[in-house]
Structure formats: C-alpha cells, structure tokens
Amino acid sequence: MHGPTSPGWLLVALCAATGVYCLLRMRSTVEDQRRSAGGEAVMGFGMAAMAVPAAVFTPPVWAWSAYGAVFGATALHSLWSARTSPHHLHHLVGAAAMVYMSVVMAVSPVAPGSHHHGGAGVPPLTGALLLYFAGYVLLSGVRLVPAGTVAGSVARGGTGWGDRPELARACRLSMGIATVAMLLTL
C-alpha cells in the first residue's frame, strides 16, 4: 500500500496477529465459528501481505491480480455461506473491498492517488466502503463495551479462549480498522 513506512508495518503486524488468532480460533468445537475463523484468517493474512509498505517491497504487477483472485474466491465463499448466516454478508463486503483495493493498486502501482480521476475527490466506491467500514468499526467498538457486568459474574468454565465471543469481536474490529486505514491510503 502507498503511505508512510512505520504505520504500514504496524498495519502488517496488526493484520498478521489477527490472522494468527483466527487460525487458533479454527480449533473451536463450534462448526460455524471454525468456518468464520477460517475466512477471517485468510482476510487477515491477505491484508497483511497487501499492507507491506511500497517503499520496502513493491510486489510484481501480477501479484495484485493474485490478490484479487484470492479475495474474489473468498467473496464467492462468503456469498455461499451467507445462505445460513447473515454474518457472512460482512465477510462478503470485506472481500469485495479487498478485490477493489487490489484492482486500484494494479491500475496505479506507482502513482498513489492517480485513480482519483484528476483530483475530483474520493471515488464513490471508496467513499461508500469507507462509510460502511467506519460504521462497522464504531458499532463493533460499542459492542465490546461491557454492559454492566458485576465483577466475577462471568463464568469462564470450560470455554477455551478461542471460543470467547469478545475476542472474536476484537479480531473483527481490528480488521475493520485496518480496512479503513488501507482505504484511506488509496
């Protein structure tokens, strides 16, 4: 992605850590959580690869097509999975956003901002994706705030740390934040 090197590496670290955690969540005993975690792991690692600063490593032109193909396949899988769970619609939007960013980067790998068509401002699709993901980040952040729980009232019992819903939400929140950051650097 285009942009400063330090924030780029922080974005790579955030996305890679999210991908690793999602891989660990795939050990869950709940089938839907495993499937969801697998798609999120692909997104996390793919976003980490895309976020490597261009000043450090400029991928070959064909790499953007490969990213687009991987995220396109992920979008199709999310579309198929949305039949049983509406949560996968968010995965579909996320994968579509990554396909869009891959296309933009393939078209303008050297000249950041050249896709803005003569400085006319933010393209409508970029703006729509920014609004969606900014809203998603705000809503996800609100969902992480505890709603009046009494200290010690939450029983952890036999639940593994990979099955905890608040950690899955934090994972999705971090990927939403990373998507907003990547869209801003287009």
Side-chain angles (χ1 to χ4, degrees):
M1 299 299 298
H2 302 296
T5 304
S6 295
W9 283 118
L10 290 173
L11 195 58
V12 169
L14 174 70
C15 293
T18 300
V20 167
Y21 174 70
C22 290
L23 282 179
L24 293 174
R25 280 184 38 227
M26 288 181 67
R27 297 178 7 183
S28 172
T29 58
V30 180
E31 175 75 22
D32 192 46
Q33 286 183 9
R34 281 195 309 268
R35 276 196 307 256
S36 180
E40 290 169 0
V42 169
M43 292 296 291
F45 289 125
M47 290 171 68
M50 285 180 71
V52 173
V56 176
F57 173 72
T58 303
V61 176
W62 60 264
W64 298 112
S65 298
Y67 290 143
V70 168
F71 289 123
T74 302
L76 289 174
H77 183 267
S78 296
L79 182 61
W80 181 256
S81 298
R83 297 172 302 118
T84 58
S85 174
H87 169 72
H88 292 285
L89 291 174
H90 171 70
H91 290 177
L92 175 64
V93 174
M98 299 310 289
V99 169
Y100 171 68
M101 286 189 264
S102 298
V103 168
V104 169
M105 294 304 290
V107 170
S108 64
V110 179
S114 64
H115 68 285
H116 289 271
H117 305 292
V122 177
L125 185 54
T126 303
L129 289 170
L130 276 169
L131 284 175
Y132 173 82
F133 282 102
Y136 181 80
V137 164
L138 292 173
L139 184 61
S140 295
V142 167
R143 287 181 181 164
L144 281 174
V145 175
T149 58
V150 178
S153 67
V154 179
R156 294 281 180 233
T159 303
W161 61 271
D163 288 329
R164 293 175 51 190
E166 68 274 12
L167 292 178
R169 284 188 200 118
C171 172
R172 292 179 191 123
L173 174 64
S174 67
M175 284 198 297
I177 292 169
T179 302
V180 169
M182 290 173 79
L183 284 166
L184 287 173
T185 62
L186 285 180

